[in-house]
């Protein structure tokens, strides 16, 4: 007798293929769900594989446009960066995947959802918090946290033996000595030989970006047009080629950024679960957009509004990294950030060259830049004498501090 129906987030790889068969062994009807968020995958081969392994149904969902518009664009508006360096490529993808997984589970009357995330990482938290938020009564099967599963499969060799025993096709090419996760926004690399934080990444690790040393000797000059803080058009100035749909814009920026080796980082970060981990990331299009958006935002946004928005950006980045995309506080922060972007409009010209993005110029109908006011050659509507009082008022606190504490603190 069936224990019920489970929607498995399926990748087509060894782990989730073994999980699919194992769930069937436990008495579940399995629906396999594979999200296309821009990874290089043979989706039809994955469908046939899941069907051959006994999946009751297989859903392959093209979420690329939704991923860009509903998840990447809010991150761009926020200038979302976790711990000053990580552009959150995996963290923004997980709620996108989980949203559709929950939608399928509800539609198919499935009481369970399952995933192949490990018990030490962030992804288990991101998947499950999203599922519980959107489907409160759902039950989650996380095999890598179930002792009878992880004690049975202690490594890749155990998985391979199980696969051969149950007729699961096994990889014929040697596995890279690290794990990799790819989507439209980035590729991340961790584990294996990368777990030693002193070890340098092998030269052949990177798949999305060229080594800057081997990149073209001529830059690409781009003009990116923004409206409400998101790009609406990108134009290659030299080639007069332009893109104007969200998916095309982001894909093109990936292409240009990747060609010039933009967006590589090698970091140690703090996982939400309480441990440090080493991760290597390449985020070419996202890095180009971050530089461009920062520039047009500073050009068009009031100083004090931006100061508040910077704090919201840090909070947003932490919430997304930790898996709280669908929390009420993250919803609130997203709305505040979106409000701040109403006048973030205009064009930024930049050069992409040898691993770097160089801002060349900007223009905006909503600019707060007053050329006459700031000019050293024109006095404009500004009296320099006013600065004397401004400085004296700001000096009151400093003078009093040092008068009352500063000098006494330096006495021997």
């Amino acid at each position: 007798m069936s224990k019920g129906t489970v929607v498995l987030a399926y990748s087509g790889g060894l782990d989730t293929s073994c999980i699919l068969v194992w769930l069937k062994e436990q008495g579940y009807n399995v629906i396999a769900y594979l999200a296309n968020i821009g990874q290089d995958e043979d989706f039809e081969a994955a469908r046939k594989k899941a069907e051959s392994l006994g999946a009751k149904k297989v859903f392959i969902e093209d979420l690329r446009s939704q991923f860009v518009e509903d998840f990447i664009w809010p991150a761009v508006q926020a200038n979302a960066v976790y711990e000053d360096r990580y552009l959150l490529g995996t963290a923004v993808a997980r709620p996108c995947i989980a949203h559709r997984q929950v939608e399928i589970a509800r539609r198919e009357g499935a009481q369970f959802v399952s995933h192949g995330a490990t018990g030490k990482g962030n992804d288990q938290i991101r998947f499950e918090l999203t599922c519980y938020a959107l489907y409160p009564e759902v039950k989650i099967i996380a095999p890598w946290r179930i002792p009878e599963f992880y004690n049975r499969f202690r490594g890749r060799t155990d998985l391979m033996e199980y696969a051969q025993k149950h007729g699961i096709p096994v990889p014929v090419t040697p596995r890279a000595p690290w794990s990799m996760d790819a989507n439209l926004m980035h590729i991340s690399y961790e584990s294996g030989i990368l777990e030693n934080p002193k070890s340098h990444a092998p030269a052949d690790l990177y798949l999305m970006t060229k080594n800057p040393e081997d990149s073209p000797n001529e830059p690409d000059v781009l003009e990116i047009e923004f409206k409400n803080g998101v790009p609406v058009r990108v134009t290659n100035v030299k080639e007069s080629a332009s893109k104007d749909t969200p998916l095309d814009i982001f894909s093109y920026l990936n292409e240009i950024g990747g060609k010039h080796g933009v967006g590589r980082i090698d970091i140690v970060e703090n996982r939400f679960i309480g441990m440090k981990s080493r991760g290597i990331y390449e985020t070419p299009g996202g890095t180009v957009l971050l530089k461009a958006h920062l520039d047009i935002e500073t050009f068009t946004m009031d100083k004090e509004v931006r100061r508040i928005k910077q704090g919201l950006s840090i909070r947003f980045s932490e919430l997304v990294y930790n898996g709280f995309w669908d929390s009420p506080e993250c919803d609130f922060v997203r709305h505040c950030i979106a409000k701040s972007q109403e006048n973030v409009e205009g064009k930024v010209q930049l050069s992409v060259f040898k691993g770097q993005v160089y801002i060349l110029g900007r223009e905006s109908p909503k600019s707060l830049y007053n050329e006459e006011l700031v000019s050293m050659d024109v006095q404009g509507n500004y009296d320099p004498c006013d600065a004397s009082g401004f400085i004296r008022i700001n000096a009151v606190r400093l003078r009093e501090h040092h008068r009352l504490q500063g000098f006494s603190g330096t006495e021997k």
Side-chain angles (χ1 to χ4, degrees):
M1 184 176 173
S2 172
K3 290 182 179 178
T5 299
V6 55
V7 178
L8 169 66
Y10 181 69
S11 70
L14 179 63
D15 286 35
T16 53
S17 294
C18 288
I19 288 171
L20 193 162
V21 174
W22 182 82
L23 286 168
K24 286 187 71 235
E25 279 186 334
Q26 307 307 303
Y28 295 99
N29 292 320
V30 181
I31 295 173
Y33 153 61
L34 178 55
N36 175 2
I37 50 171
Q39 70 272 39
D40 183 15
E41 182 70 62
D42 186 338
F43 293 100
E44 267 317 299
R47 177 194 297 279
K48 289 174 182 171
K49 186 175 184 180
E51 288 172 344
S52 73
L53 297 177
K56 178 180 156 188
K57 290 184 180 179
V58 180
F59 290 92
I60 296 178
E61 305 285 306
D62 187 348
L63 304 181
R64 290 174 298 168
S65 292
Q66 182 185 339
F67 182 36
V68 175
E69 294 173 51
D70 296 345
F71 295 89
I72 296 177
W73 275 185
V76 170
Q77 289 179 311
N79 302 319
V81 182
Y82 178 70
E83 294 187 335
D84 303 314
R85 294 184 288 179
Y86 172 44
L87 271 60
L88 297 163
T90 298
V92 293
R94 295 314 184 220
C96 179
I97 295 168
H99 278 207
R100 186 58 61 91
Q101 186 176 13
V102 165
E103 191 180 304
I104 292 169
R106 283 188 173 279
R107 192 171 68 229
E108 297 296 318
Q111 309 92 328
F112 303 88
V113 295
S114 183
H115 60 77
T118 72
K120 285 188 175 182
N122 294 310
D123 283 344
Q124 57 180 338
I125 305 167
R126 295 164 180 161
F127 277 124
E128 294 181 31
L129 289 181
T130 301
C131 290
Y132 284 132
L134 302 181
Y135 189 1
E137 60 272 26
V138 76
K139 295 180 179 66
I140 293 173
I141 303 171
W144 289 113
R145 295 204 307 266
I146 299 172
E148 64 198 81
F149 184 89
Y150 67 69
N151 285 327
R152 182 175 180 182
F153 302 106
R154 292 183 174 274
R156 189 169 172 83
T157 302
D158 292 339
L159 288 169
M160 294 282 276
E161 287 176 2
Y162 181 82
Q164 287 164 348
K165 181 179 174 184
H166 291 84
I168 301 170
V170 296
V172 291
T173 54
R175 186 191 183 201
W178 53 77
S179 71
M180 183 186 93
D181 183 73
N183 63 47
L184 192 65
M185 190 171 180
H186 83 168
I187 301 179
S188 66
Y189 309 88
E190 61 181 10
S191 302
I193 63 171
L194 304 178
E195 286 179 351
N196 181 345
K198 186 180 177 182
S199 298
H200 294 203
D204 63 347
L205 174 139
Y206 297 97
L207 300 177
M208 206 172 181
T209 56
K210 270 193 174 182
N211 186 330
E213 294 176 6
D214 302 324
S215 64
N217 292 320
E218 289 291 325
D220 275 285
V221 177
L222 305 179
E223 180 178 84
I224 303 176
E225 182 177 353
F226 289 87
K227 193 167 181 62
N228 295 318
V230 298
V232 293
R233 180 184 295 271
V234 59
T235 303
N236 190 311
V237 174
K238 291 182 179 178
E239 298 176 4
S240 298
S242 66
K243 307 289 181 184
D244 57 10
T245 66
L247 180 56
D248 286 346
I249 288 169
F250 199 78
S251 299
Y252 185 66
L253 291 174
N254 272 340
E255 178 189 330
I256 297 299
K259 181 171 93 172
H260 291 279
V262 166
R264 293 182 175 190
I265 61 168
D266 183 332
I267 64 172
V268 172
E269 70 199 63
N270 288 295
R271 287 181 181 169
F272 186 34
I273 207 160
M275 61 186 79
K276 292 186 185 291
S277 66
R278 192 257 189 105
I280 296 175
Y281 303 98
E282 43 185 349
T283 317
T287 302
V288 174
L289 273 180
L290 175 64
K291 304 284 189 184
H293 182 266
L294 279 168
D295 190 79
I296 198 67
E297 182 178 86
T298 307
F299 193 48
T300 56
M301 186 179 287
D302 175 79
K303 172 188 172 183
E304 294 303 323
V305 172
R306 190 164 189 277
R307 189 193 301 272
I308 295 168
K309 192 260 178 178
Q310 282 180 293
L312 291 174
S313 296
I314 293 170
R315 184 71 176 127
F316 174 80
S317 301
E318 291 172 347
L319 288 168
V320 172
Y321 184 87
N322 293 341
F324 289 94
W325 182 278
D326 288 287
S327 66
E329 64 272 29
C330 193
D331 184 59
F332 173 76
V333 170
R334 278 200 306 275
H335 276 83
C336 292
I337 290 172
K339 173 69 177 173
S340 78
Q341 301 295 294
E342 288 177 350
N343 291 322
V344 179
E345 177 181 332
K347 298 175 182 177
V348 178
Q349 286 204 352
L350 52 86
S351 167
V352 188
F353 185 58
K354 297 289 182 186
Q356 298 296 322
V357 179
Y358 301 98
I359 302 295
L360 303 175
R362 76 287 293 158
E363 60 180 312
S364 171
K366 303 287 181 71
S367 165
L368 295 178
Y369 180 86
N370 184 331
E371 189 172 349
E372 183 180 278
L373 180 64
V374 79
S375 173
M376 294 298 216
D377 300 319
V378 180
Q379 185 168 317
N381 189 26
Y382 175 80
D383 186 346
C385 295
D386 293 342
S388 299
F390 177 80
I391 294 166
R392 280 197 297 271
I393 291 295
N394 277 281
V396 169
R397 176 176 61 87
L398 305 182
R399 293 167 82 173
E400 286 301 289
H401 172 80
H402 285 283
R403 184 176 72 83
L404 297 172
Q405 293 185 358
F407 294 125
S408 62
T410 59
E411 291 177 0
K412 299 293 183 185

